[in-house]
Amino acid sequence: MTQLAQSSGLQGSNPVINISIFVAFVVVTLVVVLRASRTTKTASDYYAAGRAFSGPQNGIAISGDYLSAASFLGIVGAIALYGYDGFLYSIGFLVAWLVALLLVAELLRNTGKFTMGDVLAFRMRQRPVRAAAATSTLAVSFFYLLAQMAGAGVLVSLLLGISNPVGVSLVIAVVGVIMIIYVLVGGMKGTTWVQIIKAGLLITGAAAMTLWVLAKYGFDFSALLQGAVDKAGADGQRLLEPGAKYGTSEISKLDFLSLGLALVLGTAGLPHVLMRFYTVPTSREARRSVVWAIFLIGLFYLFSLVLGYGAAAMVGPETISQAPGASNSAAPLLAQALGGSVLLGFISAVAFATILAVVAGLTITASASFAHDIYANVIKKGEVSDKQAEVRVARITAVVIGAVAIVGGILARNQNVAFLVALAFAVAASANLPTILYSLFWKRFNTTGALCSIYGGLGIAILLIVFSPAVSGSETAMLSGVDFQWFPLENPGLVSIPASFFLGWLGTVLSGEHDEAKYAEMEVRSLTGAGAEKASSH
């Protein structure tokens, strides 16, 4: 999602209030996680919460997973500065859920067990396909983690008034340690409850600010828009028209098309979103959870429209763009303008708690993929005598991933992290989604096609982003002072997604092997749920 960078020079910010609200959140959620750990005994409990969550509960947790602080701060800021073009981000993020609902959620729940690798390996050679699926999952999760960790360090250090590198590094380390505790102790059940609490706080906070902003303008949205136009000055009308950000050149239009394609198709391939479909007892509940997620996420993005224009009207695009964090400071600055340091502290603490919850979800997804796909099915060839051994490996992996994320976040703390998030979406859309769709719907699809699609999509996406303006050769590039970019678009989705579909088709056609009987079995199971994993008894 959009970059979570510096969150502003917030005069009047009260570090004591900020940290008190955040500590209260951590204490409450740790109590919840400890309670959840009492029933985390089996692999199904650890990976899929015993498949015991209802559709509405899982839908709230999915919205918590999806609405990261990067999305919250970034979209509000984009609308405040670019108006119509900024709101297109929200539309892309929301429309993506229709792909998940119509093509992925129910079929995935019926066919899989714990990870994306289960679905792909159902009708193909186990070891190479699981290794590829785990590689893709770890790549997406790592870059998402890196961006969130770096963003957390920047956000909290500014809110608490910490500026020296050692202090920022310490903040990132604390975030990582708390996240590791969530995952180690509570597993998926504890992580899900953290997501539910966080989603409730985030949506409640956004709703309160939305009503507050509308009340300032007599609950007249037209008056709010006029206020934003007036505050922006001579060129204020551009906030209501297309083209403020993506209308200046053909390249920028193509860049938006590429980004939109990655957003719409990437969501249905994000591993930490896909894994949530396994936490419900039936495919019907999987569908209900996506419907709930669509409702809550759509509602939140409507709030973001009001908040974005509210920030433009009450704070002003010029003030926002000159703040240290530019567009990402819009939501905190609006909170400060509305309710002073108390509301600012609440919104900032919720934004940070959001990062914490998203990071925990990513970590358990990555650790489950390694333990279940690599350890249990590639190294042990599916013959794990001690079922607790797999969970132990997952917990050890969570610690390792957490440590790597802490180190990576510290190293990237001063870098532009937008390209990391773009890479996560590009990889998910390029490597994961084509392979999932082919596996579920194409009878001839085979192991060679899956490997070509996953590794080809992953490789092309990474290659194009490394040589894109997101990394070098532009004002906002990650590496300043160097220029080795030759690919003109910041997001590679327009090229890498079709290429992945093509490579999957080409590999399948050239190899010729396929198992029609296994596909027929998978089709029946995916559509009816016959033989799917059931909820555990406790």
Side-chain angles (χ1 to χ4, degrees):
M1 301 187 187
T2 47
Q3 178 194 4
L4 175 62
Q6 297 96 332
S7 188
S8 66
L10 300 170
Q11 287 85 12
S13 171
N14 189 327
V16 176
I17 293 176
N18 296 344
I19 201 166
S20 299
I21 296 172
F22 173 66
V23 168
F25 172 84
V26 171
V27 170
V28 170
T29 50
L30 280 176
V31 170
V32 171
V33 166
L34 287 169
R35 287 176 62 86
S37 69
R38 296 175 185 173
T39 55
T40 301
K41 298 169 184 173
T42 66
S44 178
D45 293 331
Y46 188 77
Y47 295 146
R51 309 185 199 281
F53 283 98
S54 67
Q57 287 175 326
N58 195 46
I60 296 171
I62 288 174
S63 68
D65 241 337
Y66 197 65
L67 295 172
S68 71
S71 175
F72 171 43
L73 300 179
I75 288 177
V76 170
I79 294 171
L81 294 184
Y82 305 113
Y84 180 94
D85 279 18
F87 190 56
L88 292 176
Y89 277 88
S90 298
I91 295 172
F93 285 138
L94 184 59
V95 169
W97 282 100
L98 295 178
V99 178
L101 173 63
L102 299 175
L103 297 179
V104 174
E106 179 181 357
L107 305 180
L108 205 72
R109 166 64 186 82
N110 286 341
T111 312
K113 187 176 182 181
F114 299 132
T115 67
M116 183 180 75
D118 290 328
V119 179
L120 304 185
F122 191 90
R123 50 184 281 234
M124 299 174 197
R125 295 200 303 274
Q126 292 268 329
R127 297 177 75 188
V129 169
R130 284 188 182 278
T135 301
S136 173
T137 297
L138 290 169
V140 176
S141 300
F142 174 72
F143 287 108
Y144 227 128
L145 270 172
L146 198 58
Q148 296 289 335
M149 295 290 281
V154 173
L155 174 64
V156 177
S157 63
L158 283 169
L159 289 171
L160 302 183
I162 301 169
S163 58
N164 67 79
V166 176
V168 175
S169 301
L170 187 61
V171 167
I172 293 174
V174 169
V175 174
V177 170
I178 295 172
M179 169 265 292
I180 291 169
I181 293 171
Y182 282 157
V183 175
L184 287 184
V185 176
M188 179 57 87
K189 189 170 290 186
T191 302
T192 300
W193 280 114
V194 171
Q195 297 285 17
I196 290 172
I197 294 168
K198 180 223 95 173
L201 286 173
L202 185 62
I203 293 172
T204 301
M209 285 179 65
T210 298
L211 291 173
W212 203 331
V213 167
L214 288 174
K216 293 271 187 182
Y217 291 88
F219 292 95
D220 184 348
F221 188 61
S222 295
L224 172 61
L225 295 179
Q226 188 60 51
V229 170
D230 294 342
K231 188 78 169 181
D235 60 346
Q237 191 63 30
R238 70 186 181 87
L239 292 176
L240 307 183
E241 299 169 352
K245 181 172 175 61
Y246 293 107
T248 54
S249 67
E250 290 302 316
I251 288 294
S252 65
K253 292 175 182 176
L254 282 175
D255 216 351
F256 175 71
L257 182 62
S258 188
L259 176 66
L261 195 63
L263 296 182
V264 170
L265 298 181
T267 297
L270 289 174
H272 64 294
V273 170
L274 296 177
M275 196 170 173
R276 296 232 61 88
F277 298 139
Y278 298 126
T279 64
V280 290
T282 64
S283 58
R284 178 176 178 272
E285 293 300 306
R287 287 198 309 275
R288 288 184 71 203
S289 65
V290 177
V291 171
W292 270 81
I294 289 174
F295 170 73
L296 292 171
I297 292 167
L299 186 65
F300 181 83
Y301 285 145
L302 287 177
F303 293 158
S304 73
L305 182 64
V306 175
L307 297 178
Y309 279 113
M314 297 184 67
V315 181
E318 187 177 349
T319 302
I320 293 169
S321 61
Q322 290 176 356
S327 63
N328 295 297
S329 65
L333 286 171
L334 176 61
Q336 189 178 33
L338 287 170
S341 60
V342 175
L343 184 60
L344 171 63
F346 175 76
I347 293 301
S348 302
V350 167
F352 184 55
T354 297
I355 294 174
L356 200 57
V358 171
V359 163
L362 287 164
T363 303
I364 195 167
T365 300
S367 62
S369 183
F370 180 85
H372 184 63
D373 290 327
I374 300 293
Y375 172 76
N377 288 286
V378 174
I379 297 174
K380 292 292 186 178
K381 302 179 182 179
E383 298 174 1
V384 182
S385 55
D386 179 6
K387 292 299 181 183
Q388 287 300 311
E390 190 177 323
V391 176
R392 281 198 300 273
V393 170
R395 287 189 161 122
I396 293 169
T397 307
V399 174
V400 173
I401 291 170
V404 171
I406 290 170
V407 173
I410 290 170
L411 293 176
R413 68 183 182 276
N414 295 322
Q415 302 292 347
N416 180 327
V417 296
F419 91 101
L420 297 171
V421 181
L423 181 55
F425 264 87
V427 171
S430 302
N432 295 350
L433 187 65
T435 317
I436 291 170
L437 294 182
Y438 276 149
S439 295
L440 292 171
F441 298 109
W442 189 18
K443 184 185 297 184
R444 288 187 59 189
F445 194 54
N446 57 31
T447 303
T448 304
L451 297 179
C452 289
S453 182
I454 292 175
Y455 288 128
L458 177 64
I460 291 171
I462 291 176
L463 179 70
L464 294 183
I465 284 193
V466 166
F467 293 102
S468 77
V471 176
S472 71
S474 69
E475 292 180 5
T476 57
M478 179 190 180
L479 304 177
S480 58
V482 293
D483 184 0
F484 49 82
Q485 62 109 350
W486 50 261
F487 183 67
L489 306 181
E490 290 194 2
N491 192 291
L494 199 60
V495 175
S496 60
I497 296 171
S500 181
F501 275 105
F502 173 74
L503 289 171
W505 170 83
L506 185 65
T508 299
V509 170
L510 292 179
S511 70
E513 59 171 278
H514 64 281
D515 187 340
E516 290 195 16
K518 202 67 177 170
Y519 172 76
E521 181 187 344
M522 182 176 183
E523 186 176 36
V524 170
R525 178 161 163 173
S526 67
L527 293 174
T528 66
E533 286 286 315
K534 304 301 180 186
S536 58
S537 57
H538 57 274

